[in-house]
Every structure is written in C-alpha cells, then in structure tokens.
Amino acid sequence: MLIYTVKQLADLVSGVVEGDGGRQVSGVAPVDRAGPDDVTFVVNERYAERLEQSRVGACLIAPGIRVDANGAALIRVDNPELALSTVLELFHPSPQLEPAVHPTAVLGHGVQLGERVWIGPFVTVQAGVTIGSGTQIWAQCYIGAGASIGENCRIGPSCTIGHGVQVGDRVRLNPGVRLGVDGFGYASGPDGLTKIPQVGGCIIGDDVEIGANSTIDRGSLGDTIVGDRTKIDNLVHVAHNVVIGSHCVIVAQVGLAGSVHVGDGVQLGGQAGIIGHITIGAGARIAGQAGVIGDVPAGGVYSGYPARPHRQSLRASAATLQLPQLLQRLRELERK
C-alpha cells in the first residue's frame, strides 16, 4: 500500500495546505465515496456541499471555493483536476514492463526496434517497420510494412496500423484502433461503382490519444493528419484527407467526412456530424449531435441540425416548442 502525507502531495502539485499537513492518505476516491484515508477533489460549490457532508482525509480544491472542511486537510491548487491527474499517477503508476519480444510475435525483415521496446503475444510486425524506444505493443496488434511508431507509445490490444502510417512520440492507442485503413472512395461507371485506390498516408502527431474502436482512414492521394496533443474519444470516424490541428478534443461517435480541415483547439461534441470539404476554424466549439453543413468561423460556437450559431439555434428551438400553441390560435382565428 502506498501512503503519503498531505504535505507531500501538496509539494508534488505546488499546492498550499490548510489543516494537518502530516495527515496520511493511501488512496484516491470521488467526494461522495471517499473515506478518512482518501484524497478527493472539488471543482465547484456543488461538490463543496458534498465535502461538508463527508469524512475525507484530504481534498484538492480551488482557492476561491469556501467550504467547511469537516476535519479534512485542504490542498489549495489553481487547477484541482490537473492536480488530481498527478496524484492518480502517484497512487496508480503504469506497470513497468521489462523489454521483451514475445515468442509468438512475428517480426518481418528489416524491422528496427529501439531500446526498452516491449512486444506482446501474437503481434505481427511487417517488413521495414521502425519502433521507437520505450514503446509497448500489446497483444494481437498488426503493424503494416514501412510504418513508423515513435518513442514511449502505448499501442493497446488488437490495434491495426496500416502500411506506411507515421505515429509520433508518446501516442496512446486504446484497444481496437484502426489507423491508415482505406478511405471510402468510389467512381460511378457503366458497371456500377469502381473503387478508387487509396494511396495517401496517415500521420499522427506527438502526444495524441485515440479512443477504443476509432478509425482514421489514410488519404486518397494526400495525407490524413492528426495534430500534436489532440485527444480523440471512442468510436470516432475520421475519413480520408481530413486534417485535424493540434490540441483538439473530439468526443465519442463524431464523424468527419472526407477533406475536412479542423483548426487548432477545436472541440467537437459527441455524435456531431461534419460534412466533407469544409473548414472549422481554430478554437470553434461544436455541440453534441450538431450537423455541420458549412464552414464554421474561428472561435464560433455552433449547435443544432443543421448547425448554426448557438444563440440562433436556441431561439429556433424555443420557437419550435411554441408551435402547438400557435397552431391552436390559428385554428381559433380561422373559425372566427
């Protein structure tokens, strides 16, 4: 069991202690389930009320929140959620694997492995692949010919990385991710649809995380690109030739059609659908289930279907809710 004092945790996250800095904690838990030996976190006044009703050991809390600590030691930090991530890594460190290649793994001709690489059972690595130092490739992954994977990556079980795909450093792929699969491209002819060969690339930047069972197509001619530090949730589809900037957040079940350009810092809510060949400007935010059928300016906040500026969408929704009353009034006027 790992045990730390409140003062040790405060030093780790550059926080200020209010209360007993020598108090010991041995775990992390949400505020409504934390006990005297746990550290928790509070980000707003609503959760502060729960803290007052609990008996926790310590709490990461923002400076501006006033609360009756109910005996807990407080650690004041500017960003409790960020501090929590540091504390979680302390109590739940990632497993350290000894460098190894499992006997059931198959490595093709000319594969280059950096130092401290770990390759699990039933992994297939085709010819000419490069894998950087400290990277882990978990069970039943497939790495296509000529692909490159950077340093300190974690490729989860059953992932597919197609031929020639480039993956940056410190990338995390959750189970079932597919990178560099063929895009959906066909041409109509006298005999029906003919497949257009998808010969472009797929490039994933540094510090990217991609959620389970998400798919990112390779380009048809150019490249599909995901920028540095972008985070993609589970079950997201990114079509061919899409370019996504850095520091973006893309939530579950978003679909990006071909050749969309997404600027830096964009946030796409769950189940949003983006039509092909449009641009979403830097810093824009798209609400969940929005249907985007045209360009979105930088910094824009859009919602609804079809998507429009958020305030406009709210007014349209409010007007729709009034339709039954308006119809009733119209019938009454017609009778008169």
Side-chain angles (χ1 to χ4, degrees):
M1 179 185 295
L2 298 173
I3 298 176
Y4 297 93
T5 67
V6 171
K7 178 65 165 59
Q8 286 175 317
L9 297 182
D11 290 343
L12 179 68
V13 298
S14 302
V16 177
V17 176
E18 294 179 10
D20 182 8
R23 186 165 187 168
Q24 294 183 333
V25 291
S26 57
V28 186
V31 64
D32 51 357
R33 295 209 301 261
D37 298 324
D38 294 321
V39 57
T40 188
F41 76 111
V42 165
V43 295
N44 56 42
E45 300 290 347
R46 183 179 65 176
Y47 287 96
E49 293 176 3
R50 298 185 189 182
L51 178 64
E52 294 172 357
Q53 300 167 5
S54 62
R55 301 287 297 178
V56 306
C59 180
L60 301 160
I61 189 168
I65 298 177
R66 301 301 163 199
V67 63
D68 178 0
N70 197 19
L74 301 181
I75 303 174
R76 297 284 185 180
V77 287
D78 291 333
N79 189 335
E81 285 185 302
L82 185 60
L84 176 70
S85 68
T86 302
V87 172
L88 283 170
E89 288 178 358
L90 188 68
F91 281 101
H92 301 278
S94 299
Q96 298 299 310
L97 302 174
E98 292 296 324
V101 176
H102 196 275
T104 60
V106 178
L107 273 61
H109 176 73
V111 170
Q112 299 180 37
L113 303 181
E115 299 177 356
R116 300 176 287 104
V117 167
W118 184 88
I119 297 180
F122 302 106
V123 170
T124 299
V125 183
Q126 297 283 16
V129 170
T130 300
I131 300 174
S133 299
T135 287
Q136 302 172 6
I137 313 288
W138 287 71
Q140 297 182 323
C141 288
Y142 172 86
I143 317 296
S148 65
I149 302 174
E151 297 182 355
N152 299 312
C153 296
R154 187 186 187 282
I155 312 302
S158 302
C159 289
T160 298
I161 298 177
H163 65 272
V165 171
Q166 300 174 41
V167 177
D169 296 333
R170 299 172 301 280
V171 169
R172 184 182 182 95
L173 304 184
N174 288 288
V177 167
R178 312 297 184 204
L179 300 182
V181 300
D182 271 6
F184 193 73
Y186 297 87
S188 297
D191 298 321
L193 295 176
T194 299
K195 183 176 178 62
I196 299 173
Q198 305 290 290
V199 298
C202 178
I203 301 172
I204 308 299
D206 297 338
D207 300 293
V208 170
E209 179 162 357
I210 301 175
N213 295 322
S214 290
T215 299
I216 300 180
D217 296 347
R218 67 175 58 254
S220 54
L221 289 175
D223 296 325
T224 303
I225 300 172
V226 177
D228 295 346
R229 297 186 176 277
T230 283
K231 312 301 181 186
I232 297 176
D233 199 359
N234 303 335
L235 298 169
V236 169
H237 177 229
V238 179
H240 56 199
N241 299 103
V242 170
V243 176
I244 299 173
S246 62
H247 297 272
C248 294
V249 176
I250 301 177
V251 184
Q253 299 183 353
V254 164
L256 292 154
S259 300
V260 169
H261 278 63
V262 178
D264 296 342
V266 167
Q267 299 177 21
L268 302 179
Q271 296 187 330
I274 317 299
I275 198 172
H277 301 273
I278 67 169
T279 297
I280 299 178
R285 290 180 292 165
I286 307 299
Q289 295 191 325
V292 183
I293 61 172
D295 291 346
V296 175
V301 180
Y302 276 53
S303 63
Y305 188 90
R308 64 195 81 183
H310 184 55
R311 291 184 180 277
Q312 201 179 107
S313 179
L314 290 176
R315 288 195 294 270
S317 296
T320 301
L321 293 174
Q322 295 175 23
L323 282 176
Q325 295 93 328
L326 292 173
L327 285 171
Q328 182 62 32
R329 290 174 59 187
L330 179 59
R331 292 191 184 102
E332 292 173 358
L333 289 170
E334 286 176 336
R335 283 197 294 269
K336 290 179 180 179

mmCIF file of all heavy atoms in Angstrom, residues 130-154:
data_model
loop_
_atom_site.group_PDB
_atom_site.id
_atom_site.type_symbol
_atom_site.label_atom_id
_atom_site.label_comp_id
_atom_site.label_asym_id
_atom_site.label_seq_id
_atom_site.Cartn_x
_atom_site.Cartn_y
_atom_site.Cartn_z
ATOM 1 N N THR A 130 9.653 0.666 -38.115
ATOM 2 C CA THR A 130 10.526 1.239 -37.098
ATOM 3 C C THR A 130 9.706 1.519 -35.845
ATOM 4 O O THR A 130 8.651 2.165 -35.919
ATOM 5 C CB THR A 130 11.155 2.558 -37.586
ATOM 6 O OG1 THR A 130 11.916 2.303 -38.771
ATOM 7 C CG2 THR A 130 12.076 3.164 -36.527
ATOM 8 N N ILE A 131 10.187 1.047 -34.691
ATOM 9 C CA ILE A 131 9.502 1.237 -33.415
ATOM 10 C C ILE A 131 10.476 1.894 -32.445
ATOM 11 O O ILE A 131 11.565 1.368 -32.188
ATOM 12 C CB ILE A 131 8.982 -0.103 -32.850
ATOM 13 C CG1 ILE A 131 7.997 -0.744 -33.838
ATOM 14 C CG2 ILE A 131 8.320 0.105 -31.487
ATOM 15 C CD1 ILE A 131 7.522 -2.128 -33.447
ATOM 16 N N GLY A 132 10.098 3.056 -31.892
ATOM 17 C CA GLY A 132 10.985 3.843 -31.059
ATOM 18 C C GLY A 132 11.149 3.295 -29.650
ATOM 19 O O GLY A 132 10.386 2.442 -29.179
ATOM 20 N N SER A 133 12.116 3.834 -28.944
ATOM 21 C CA SER A 133 12.467 3.382 -27.603
ATOM 22 C C SER A 133 11.291 3.520 -26.639
ATOM 23 O O SER A 133 10.546 4.498 -26.692
ATOM 24 C CB SER A 133 13.653 4.195 -27.072
ATOM 25 O OG SER A 133 14.782 4.023 -27.878
ATOM 26 N N GLY A 134 11.163 2.532 -25.756
ATOM 27 C CA GLY A 134 10.163 2.596 -24.695
ATOM 28 C C GLY A 134 8.733 2.327 -25.117
ATOM 29 O O GLY A 134 7.825 2.426 -24.298
ATOM 30 N N THR A 135 8.504 1.972 -26.363
ATOM 31 C CA THR A 135 7.146 1.740 -26.847
ATOM 32 C C THR A 135 6.677 0.332 -26.499
ATOM 33 O O THR A 135 7.458 -0.621 -26.515
ATOM 34 C CB THR A 135 7.079 1.983 -28.363
ATOM 35 O OG1 THR A 135 7.145 3.389 -28.602
ATOM 36 C CG2 THR A 135 5.803 1.438 -28.984
ATOM 37 N N GLN A 136 5.378 0.226 -26.178
ATOM 38 C CA GLN A 136 4.755 -1.057 -25.870
ATOM 39 C C GLN A 136 3.722 -1.378 -26.950
ATOM 40 O O GLN A 136 2.861 -0.555 -27.262
ATOM 41 C CB GLN A 136 4.061 -1.019 -24.514
ATOM 42 C CG GLN A 136 4.966 -0.658 -23.349
ATOM 43 C CD GLN A 136 4.184 -0.453 -22.068
ATOM 44 O OE1 GLN A 136 2.976 -0.678 -22.000
ATOM 45 N NE2 GLN A 136 4.878 -0.001 -21.029
ATOM 46 N N ILE A 137 3.809 -2.590 -27.492
ATOM 47 C CA ILE A 137 2.846 -3.072 -28.480
ATOM 48 C C ILE A 137 2.132 -4.272 -27.853
ATOM 49 O O ILE A 137 2.750 -5.325 -27.646
ATOM 50 C CB ILE A 137 3.517 -3.503 -29.800
ATOM 51 C CG1 ILE A 137 4.525 -2.462 -30.286
ATOM 52 C CG2 ILE A 137 2.459 -3.806 -30.850
ATOM 53 C CD1 ILE A 137 3.930 -1.211 -30.817
ATOM 54 N N TRP A 138 0.843 -4.132 -27.550
ATOM 55 C CA TRP A 138 0.133 -5.162 -26.812
ATOM 56 C C TRP A 138 -0.431 -6.229 -27.748
ATOM 57 O O TRP A 138 -0.350 -6.122 -28.971
ATOM 58 C CB TRP A 138 -0.938 -4.531 -25.923
ATOM 59 C CG TRP A 138 -0.308 -3.844 -24.738
ATOM 60 C CD1 TRP A 138 0.418 -2.686 -24.739
ATOM 61 C CD2 TRP A 138 -0.292 -4.303 -23.391
ATOM 62 N NE1 TRP A 138 0.871 -2.389 -23.473
ATOM 63 C CE2 TRP A 138 0.441 -3.353 -22.625
ATOM 64 C CE3 TRP A 138 -0.852 -5.405 -22.738
ATOM 65 C CZ2 TRP A 138 0.647 -3.503 -21.254
ATOM 66 C CZ3 TRP A 138 -0.651 -5.536 -21.369
ATOM 67 C CH2 TRP A 138 0.092 -4.603 -20.646
ATOM 68 N N ALA A 139 -1.022 -7.242 -27.160
ATOM 69 C CA ALA A 139 -1.375 -8.481 -27.856
ATOM 70 C C ALA A 139 -2.219 -8.264 -29.098
ATOM 71 O O ALA A 139 -3.098 -7.407 -29.146
ATOM 72 C CB ALA A 139 -2.123 -9.413 -26.897
ATOM 73 N N GLN A 140 -1.916 -9.060 -30.129
ATOM 74 C CA GLN A 140 -2.715 -9.199 -31.349
ATOM 75 C C GLN A 140 -2.789 -7.922 -32.175
ATOM 76 O O GLN A 140 -3.743 -7.718 -32.930
ATOM 77 C CB GLN A 140 -4.126 -9.699 -30.999
ATOM 78 C CG GLN A 140 -4.122 -11.087 -30.374
ATOM 79 C CD GLN A 140 -5.504 -11.606 -30.068
ATOM 80 O OE1 GLN A 140 -6.376 -10.834 -29.660
ATOM 81 N NE2 GLN A 140 -5.732 -12.897 -30.250
ATOM 82 N N CYS A 141 -1.787 -7.082 -32.077
ATOM 83 C CA CYS A 141 -1.718 -5.910 -32.954
ATOM 84 C C CYS A 141 -1.114 -6.292 -34.301
ATOM 85 O O CYS A 141 -0.340 -7.252 -34.412
ATOM 86 C CB CYS A 141 -0.863 -4.809 -32.308
ATOM 87 S SG CYS A 141 -1.659 -3.996 -30.913
ATOM 88 N N TYR A 142 -1.464 -5.481 -35.318
ATOM 89 C CA TYR A 142 -0.884 -5.648 -36.653
ATOM 90 C C TYR A 142 -0.271 -4.320 -37.077
ATOM 91 O O TYR A 142 -0.954 -3.284 -37.072
ATOM 92 C CB TYR A 142 -1.949 -6.071 -37.667
ATOM 93 C CG TYR A 142 -1.454 -6.079 -39.095
ATOM 94 C CD1 TYR A 142 -0.818 -7.199 -39.621
ATOM 95 C CD2 TYR A 142 -1.590 -4.954 -39.903
ATOM 96 C CE1 TYR A 142 -0.339 -7.198 -40.918
ATOM 97 C CE2 TYR A 142 -1.123 -4.946 -41.207
ATOM 98 C CZ TYR A 142 -0.495 -6.072 -41.711
ATOM 99 O OH TYR A 142 -0.014 -6.060 -42.990
ATOM 100 N N ILE A 143 1.011 -4.364 -37.466
ATOM 101 C CA ILE A 143 1.725 -3.166 -37.928
ATOM 102 C C ILE A 143 2.149 -3.405 -39.365
ATOM 103 O O ILE A 143 2.943 -4.313 -39.659
ATOM 104 C CB ILE A 143 2.976 -2.867 -37.055
ATOM 105 C CG1 ILE A 143 2.683 -3.045 -35.562
ATOM 106 C CG2 ILE A 143 3.503 -1.481 -37.372
ATOM 107 C CD1 ILE A 143 1.669 -2.110 -34.999
ATOM 108 N N GLY A 144 1.614 -2.581 -40.290
ATOM 109 C CA GLY A 144 1.874 -2.789 -41.709
ATOM 110 C C GLY A 144 3.265 -2.385 -42.141
ATOM 111 O O GLY A 144 3.985 -1.641 -41.461
ATOM 112 N N ALA A 145 3.664 -2.841 -43.309
ATOM 113 C CA ALA A 145 5.005 -2.616 -43.841
ATOM 114 C C ALA A 145 5.339 -1.132 -43.918
ATOM 115 O O ALA A 145 4.510 -0.315 -44.341
ATOM 116 C CB ALA A 145 5.125 -3.248 -45.219
ATOM 117 N N GLY A 146 6.547 -0.803 -43.491
ATOM 118 C CA GLY A 146 7.041 0.563 -43.621
ATOM 119 C C GLY A 146 6.464 1.561 -42.653
ATOM 120 O O GLY A 146 6.782 2.747 -42.723
ATOM 121 N N ALA A 147 5.638 1.127 -41.730
ATOM 122 C CA ALA A 147 5.089 2.054 -40.735
ATOM 123 C C ALA A 147 6.176 2.464 -39.745
ATOM 124 O O ALA A 147 7.179 1.760 -39.561
ATOM 125 C CB ALA A 147 3.922 1.408 -39.986
ATOM 126 N N SER A 148 5.969 3.609 -39.107
ATOM 127 C CA SER A 148 6.915 4.054 -38.078
ATOM 128 C C SER A 148 6.138 4.477 -36.840
ATOM 129 O O SER A 148 5.113 5.169 -36.939
ATOM 130 C CB SER A 148 7.785 5.207 -38.583
ATOM 131 O OG SER A 148 7.002 6.350 -38.841
ATOM 132 N N ILE A 149 6.612 4.057 -35.667
ATOM 133 C CA ILE A 149 5.999 4.378 -34.383
ATOM 134 C C ILE A 149 7.077 5.016 -33.521
ATOM 135 O O ILE A 149 8.193 4.489 -33.407
ATOM 136 C CB ILE A 149 5.431 3.113 -33.710
ATOM 137 C CG1 ILE A 149 4.400 2.450 -34.617
ATOM 138 C CG2 ILE A 149 4.815 3.456 -32.359
ATOM 139 C CD1 ILE A 149 3.900 1.115 -34.099
ATOM 140 N N GLY A 150 6.754 6.149 -32.909
ATOM 141 C CA GLY A 150 7.738 6.907 -32.151
ATOM 142 C C GLY A 150 8.064 6.297 -30.799
ATOM 143 O O GLY A 150 7.735 5.143 -30.500
ATOM 144 N N GLU A 151 8.665 7.118 -29.951
ATOM 145 C CA GLU A 151 9.122 6.665 -28.646
ATOM 146 C C GLU A 151 8.009 6.745 -27.601
ATOM 147 O O GLU A 151 7.127 7.608 -27.675
ATOM 148 C CB GLU A 151 10.307 7.514 -28.187
ATOM 149 C CG GLU A 151 11.523 7.402 -29.092
ATOM 150 C CD GLU A 151 12.692 8.214 -28.577
ATOM 151 O OE1 GLU A 151 12.524 8.941 -27.569
ATOM 152 O OE2 GLU A 151 13.785 8.119 -29.180
ATOM 153 N N ASN A 152 8.080 5.828 -26.632
ATOM 154 C CA ASN A 152 7.209 5.838 -25.447
ATOM 155 C C ASN A 152 5.721 5.846 -25.812
ATOM 156 O O ASN A 152 4.916 6.510 -25.157
ATOM 157 C CB ASN A 152 7.552 7.018 -24.543
ATOM 158 C CG ASN A 152 8.977 6.947 -24.028
ATOM 159 O OD1 ASN A 152 9.419 5.908 -23.538
ATOM 160 N ND2 ASN A 152 9.717 8.037 -24.171
ATOM 161 N N CYS A 153 5.372 5.123 -26.839
ATOM 162 C CA CYS A 153 3.970 4.957 -27.215
ATOM 163 C C CYS A 153 3.401 3.717 -26.521
ATOM 164 O O CYS A 153 4.137 2.810 -26.127
ATOM 165 C CB CYS A 153 3.827 4.798 -28.726
ATOM 166 S SG CYS A 153 4.332 6.246 -29.669
ATOM 167 N N ARG A 154 2.069 3.700 -26.410
ATOM 168 C CA ARG A 154 1.389 2.506 -25.905
ATOM 169 C C ARG A 154 0.314 2.140 -26.920
ATOM 170 O O ARG A 154 -0.695 2.848 -27.060
ATOM 171 C CB ARG A 154 0.760 2.741 -24.542
ATOM 172 C CG ARG A 154 0.185 1.463 -23.929
ATOM 173 C CD ARG A 154 -0.559 1.749 -22.646
ATOM 174 N NE ARG A 154 -0.966 0.526 -21.963
ATOM 175 C CZ ARG A 154 -2.006 -0.246 -22.293
ATOM 176 N NH1 ARG A 154 -2.759 0.103 -23.328
ATOM 177 N NH2 ARG A 154 -2.296 -1.335 -21.603
#
